[in-house]
Amino acid sequence: MNEETKEFPDWTAYDNWLIENNSKYSITSLNEVDGKIVAVFFDKTVEAEGEKSAD
């Protein structure tokens, strides 16, 4: 699983990103650090392709 990290200035920015990307990314960790939202996630489509090729 290749995790990525993205910072957002506030919860509204995170919510907007999540609404747009919910079908593509799966969140593994969500924290508030120094007033910013930090999301750790992975690409569901890459993971699904990996599972198919493992069959």
Side-chain angles (χ1 to χ4, degrees):
M1 173 171 36
N2 292 329
E3 290 186 325
E4 300 177 50
T5 301
K6 185 168 179 70
E7 283 189 10
F8 301 91
D10 54 40
W11 286 104
T12 301
Y14 166 74
D15 288 343
N16 291 336
W17 177 84
L18 184 61
I19 289 166
E20 292 177 17
N21 296 286
N22 189 43
S23 62
K24 184 174 180 182
Y25 296 116
S26 183
I27 307 299
T28 59
S29 175
L30 190 60
N31 296 296
E32 190 169 354
V33 179
D34 296 328
K36 294 186 178 186
I37 310 310
V38 179
V40 179
F41 57 92
F42 66 89
D43 188 329
K44 292 181 196 179
T45 60
V46 171
E47 291 297 312
E49 289 172 5
E51 289 174 7
K52 287 180 187 173
S53 40
D55 291 342

